Amino acid sequence: MEDAHKKGFLTEQALEEIRKEGEKKVEDLFPPAKEFEGLDEEVTKRWYDWDNKSWETGKCTVAIAKEQFAEGGMRVAHFMLVKNPGKEPERWVAKRQKEDPDDETVYDADVIMQAACQAIAKAFNARVGPADSVEFVDCHTIKTASGTWWACEPYLQGKYIKYNNNYGYVDKRARNTPQAFTHFSYEFTNKKMMVVDIQGVDDKYTDPQIHTADGQGFGMGNIGKKGMERFLKTHWCNSLCMYLGLEFCTPKILGVKRHHKHKDSGTHHRGSVSASDQVEFKLSDYLGDLEPKKGGATADDLALLGIDEKQFNAIVVIFRELDKDGSGYLDKEELYQIFQKAKVSENKTTEAEAFLQFISRMETKVNENGKVYFKDFLLCWTGND
């Protein structure tokens, strides 16, 4: 598949190919131990200490399968056993570059990138707690006695999913944790770095990519600010982003073009309306029941709101996460939690100010029973209140 960033956009065909590549039910393909007999060799292991910004070395015994089991555009992969005295062998994967296979700087870049992601994950986990914690697997290089270099990481068994990529693709299920982690990495590093290409089994990740503000370092996949902007254009902030107090960057709340429907003519108008029209017009009078479920709005409802079905479904997901008891409305306790989580940085950006305005509008929608129903939540979220 042609790289999406070379096309400049993601077609439906490209999205489907990414989904197929990014979600795989991985069978346990790791071969039995007997197939590694006679392949033991002592190698030099190198890993990067992120805290001390230094390389560490050691010796270990490994057995690398003779035949590759997978091949990508840049590397081939072999199964590998790591043998520790008195313990069961550990199942790992050894990867070797197809071009310049003995250029150690290429392998070093991947190891440093993984170490950087682990450091950011440590900060993320300290804030979200065990339930939403993430892990980037260990990564190191080995050099054999013959001078052959390999990049190594643990073998992951299970359902492998690519949650986002380096050019704005977001997995259709849009799970909170992976997307919130990417958003967190951007703000935690003061917008100098962003961790993308989040993929792996559950929340155990491997093979990430880092974008940097200056576009320097971390390999060819680092497309700098352009890659960062692509994520921010497709990312819908979720409840975990809110809990972390991240700047509100969901783009659809900003500058939404409304579709106004007038009582007299029944025609649709886009853009501004006169003062008299604004007094007379009440969008909620023209909307259906708008159930808080996917597909819970008609085409006419979506046109009036100025959003598409995908955007509506994303808002439904956020509402249902906030509606802890599934009642179909937000009660006083749930609203209190939202307001408590509505933190923004002191350096107020347009997005942050927009979120504050959203919270302020939400407060005006609380009825006499202390409830906010989905329709009012939706109107506030899309700027149509």
Side-chain angles (χ1 to χ4, degrees), residues 28-43 45 59-67 69 77-85 87-95 140 142 144 150-155:
D28 192 354
L29 302 176
F30 207 93
K34 65 180 181 180
E35 294 192 20
F36 294 89
E37 292 177 358
L39 299 177
D40 289 11
E41 58 181 323
E42 187 177 64
V43 297
K45 171 183 173 181
K59 295 288 186 179
C60 64
T61 300
V62 303
I64 302 173
K66 292 181 178 180
E67 302 296 329
F69 74 91
H78 293 240
F79 292 117
M80 180 179 80
L81 286 181
V82 177
K83 300 190 174 182
N84 301 302
K87 297 181 180 179
E88 285 293 317
E90 297 176 6
R91 306 199 301 180
W92 283 61
V93 173
K95 299 178 181 180
H140 61 256
I142 60 171
T144 67
W150 298 85
C152 307
E153 62 186 43
Y155 172 71

Side-chain angles (χ1 to χ4, degrees), residues 93-380:
V93 173
K95 299 178 181 180
R96 187 157 165 78
Q97 293 292 127
K98 294 167 71 173
E99 293 186 17
D100 299 320
D102 293 313
D103 182 355
E104 64 183 279
T105 62
V106 178
Y107 299 93
D108 288 350
D110 284 344
V111 173
I112 292 174
M113 181 156 54
Q114 198 93 341
C117 292
Q118 288 178 328
I120 297 171
K122 183 178 179 180
F124 178 84
N125 294 343
R127 300 193 187 186
V128 300
D132 294 302
S133 291
V134 303
E135 176 187 352
F136 284 86
V137 299
D138 289 331
C139 180
H140 61 256
T141 64
I142 60 171
K143 185 179 182 182
T144 67
S146 63
T148 302
W149 285 93
W150 298 85
C152 307
E153 62 186 43
Y155 172 71
L156 294 181
Q157 168 62 32
K159 189 175 183 179
Y160 192 97
I161 297 175
K162 180 187 281 287
Y163 297 108
N164 62 42
N165 73 359
N166 72 331
Y167 202 68
Y169 164 77
V170 175
D171 177 67
K172 58 187 177 182
R173 283 148 300 208
R175 284 190 58 236
N176 284 358
T177 303
Q179 314 309 335
F181 176 79
T182 292
H183 189 178
F184 172 83
S185 70
Y186 178 62
E187 293 196 18
F188 177 72
T189 61
N190 198 25
K191 302 182 180 180
K192 293 179 180 178
M193 298 167 63
M194 177 185 281
V195 182
V196 293
D197 247 1
I198 305 297
Q199 56 192 306
V201 176
D202 297 324
D203 285 316
K204 183 175 285 189
Y205 306 145
T206 185
D207 278 344
Q209 177 61 54
I210 292 179
H211 293 316
T212 57
D214 60 7
Q216 299 299 308
F218 301 115
M220 295 178 62
N222 175 11
I223 53 176
K225 287 186 176 180
K226 186 175 183 180
M228 294 175 170
E229 290 168 359
R230 290 294 300 188
F231 172 80
L232 296 174
K233 285 181 179 179
T234 55
H235 171 58
W236 282 80
C237 272
N238 55 55
S239 56
L240 191 53
C241 296
M242 295 167 64
Y243 176 79
L244 289 164
L246 305 179
E247 287 186 11
F248 194 73
C249 72
T250 300
K252 304 308 175 187
I253 196 174
L254 303 175
V256 173
K257 293 183 178 180
R258 306 182 190 181
H259 297 249
H260 292 286
K261 184 175 181 179
H262 291 263
K263 292 182 179 179
D264 54 353
S265 65
T267 57
H268 289 76
H269 300 272
R270 186 185 288 269
S272 61
V273 294
S274 67
S276 60
D277 286 335
Q278 288 178 336
V279 171
E280 184 178 349
F281 175 74
K282 189 176 180 182
L283 182 62
S284 59
D285 291 341
Y286 296 87
L287 295 171
D289 291 336
L290 294 173
E291 297 181 58
K293 65 180 183 180
K294 291 186 177 181
T298 66
D300 285 343
D301 291 333
L302 296 174
L304 285 167
L305 290 164
I307 59 176
D308 59 28
E309 186 174 11
K310 181 179 179 181
Q311 293 161 6
F312 175 84
N313 291 341
I315 297 169
V316 167
V317 170
I318 294 171
F319 179 83
R320 294 179 70 173
E321 288 168 358
L322 298 172
D323 180 19
K324 301 297 185 184
D325 57 6
S327 61
Y329 57 80
L330 304 179
D331 58 27
K332 291 180 179 179
E333 183 177 346
E334 291 163 340
L335 288 168
Y336 176 77
Q337 293 299 322
I338 297 172
F339 300 145
Q340 288 298 304
K341 293 175 182 178
K343 304 171 185 176
V344 293
S345 66
E346 293 181 2
N347 180 23
K348 294 180 180 178
T349 64
T350 302
E351 292 86 354
E353 290 173 350
F355 186 50
L356 285 176
Q357 293 170 13
F358 165 68
I359 293 298
S360 177
R361 294 198 303 271
M362 277 277 291
E363 290 180 291
T364 68
K365 296 296 182 181
V366 180
N367 67 15
E368 63 273 12
N369 297 318
K371 301 174 182 177
V372 172
Y373 284 88
F374 175 66
K375 183 184 289 188
D376 286 328
F377 178 89
L378 180 62
L379 288 168
C380 287

